Amino acid sequence: PRRHATARAAAAAQISCWEVPVLTTIRVWFTKTGEASYISLLDLQRVMQRALKRSGLPVWYTLGFNPHIYMTFAAPLSLGQESLAETVDFKSEAEGYDWDAAAPALSACLPPGIKVTRIAPAVDAGDIACAAYEVRYAEKDAQAACAAWEAYNAAPAAEVVKEGKRGKKKTVDLKAHLPEVQLMRKNGGLVVCMRLPAGSVLNVNPVLVLGWLEQQHGLPAASGDILRTGIYTRNGEKFS
């Protein structure tokens, strides 16, 4: 009927008048250390939402009845793990904004242990493939830790059971992804350096390695503090 055709034409005209915003993805690099390492991903999303609002940065909100800031975190960490290489992306309509100067303003709105190191428009750095970690042991645990990790390096295999989504379990040989680790003595303690898969297809949590050491060599997993130092793409470059 003509009535319906007129209504469709009016709706199409209204849609054509809407201005589609030109959005830029902005990336925030931040550290998460100390007590902040026990903030879960869900709570971290709330923390960042509130901090972005309070900072006054030109953040784009989704449309609809419940506007909110659309955020994406890269390779979220497990609870209790510290990191020097965390990122979160959000959208902005602002053009020519001085994002470098915005880092202190956003840091001031965040809790202790979370510090913004850089804000800039995101670039397509490629898919995340792996992450670099340090596992640090105090002086009292250094000798036992050194012996256990040397045993790991010498082991032909290190099989663990990895639990995936929906409770599915599979056996993973850690040596296939981490053939060897580097050991460094520092201030009387021990620092273990490693790289593990951290992509969307395969992700190996360093806790699995510490769990294998505890099961096979009696080194308590809780004696090692995990620190993520970097995230890398498939071509070996730092995620930026």
Side-chain angles (χ1 to χ4, degrees):
R2 183 180 302 175
R3 177 173 73 252
H4 294 163
T6 303
R8 286 196 296 269
Q14 184 178 8
I15 291 173
S16 65
C17 292
W18 290 348
E19 292 186 5
V20 178
V22 178
L23 300 178
T24 302
T25 300
I26 306 301
R27 183 159 294 156
V28 179
W29 288 262
F30 63 97
T31 62
K32 190 158 76 86
T33 58
E35 293 183 357
S37 65
Y38 294 96
I39 298 176
S40 68
L41 176 60
L42 185 60
D43 288 333
L44 184 61
Q45 290 173 336
R46 298 190 184 103
V47 167
M48 280 295 178
Q49 288 264 4
R50 293 170 182 169
L52 286 168
K53 289 179 183 178
R54 292 172 181 171
S55 67
L57 298 185
V59 180
W60 178 79
Y61 287 77
T62 59
L63 306 177
F65 293 103
N66 184 28
H68 61 276
I69 304 171
Y70 182 80
M71 298 185 301
T72 305
F73 291 83
L77 277 174
S78 296
L79 204 66
Q81 297 181 14
E82 297 181 296
S83 178
L84 302 179
E86 294 296 281
T87 68
V88 59
D89 293 353
F90 64 87
K91 305 287 186 180
S92 177
E93 296 180 68
E95 297 181 6
Y97 192 83
D98 187 3
W99 293 107
D100 287 335
L106 183 56
S107 279
C109 300
L110 290 166
I114 302 180
K115 181 181 179 182
V116 176
T117 57
R118 184 185 171 204
I119 305 178
V123 297
D124 185 7
D127 294 336
I128 293 174
C130 66
Y133 301 91
E134 288 182 359
V135 183
R136 297 163 295 169
Y137 295 90
E139 185 175 0
K140 64 182 179 64
D141 300 313
Q143 186 173 352
C146 188
W149 281 103
E150 286 178 347
Y152 174 88
N153 284 343
E159 292 187 344
V160 296
V161 176
K162 184 178 185 295
E163 187 169 341
K165 295 180 179 178
R166 300 178 182 178
K168 292 184 178 180
K169 297 181 180 180
K170 64 178 181 179
T171 300
V172 176
D173 184 3
L174 297 172
K175 297 288 285 191
H177 309 290
L178 183 65
E180 191 175 24
V181 298
Q182 295 180 337
L183 308 179
M184 298 187 301
R185 299 301 293 260
K186 186 176 181 181
N187 299 327
L190 180 71
V191 177
V192 182
C193 302
M194 67 179 79
R195 283 196 186 191
L196 289 169
S200 57
V201 177
L202 178 62
N203 179 50
V204 178
N205 196 316
V207 169
L208 290 174
V209 191
L210 271 61
W212 184 88
L213 290 172
E214 181 170 12
Q215 184 180 14
Q216 298 296 323
H217 300 284
L219 179 66
S223 64
D225 295 323
I226 299 172
L227 173 70
R228 184 160 73 185
T229 57
I231 304 174
Y232 298 86
T233 61
R234 296 189 186 280
N235 58 9
E237 295 182 356
K238 267 197 171 185
F239 181 73
S240 60

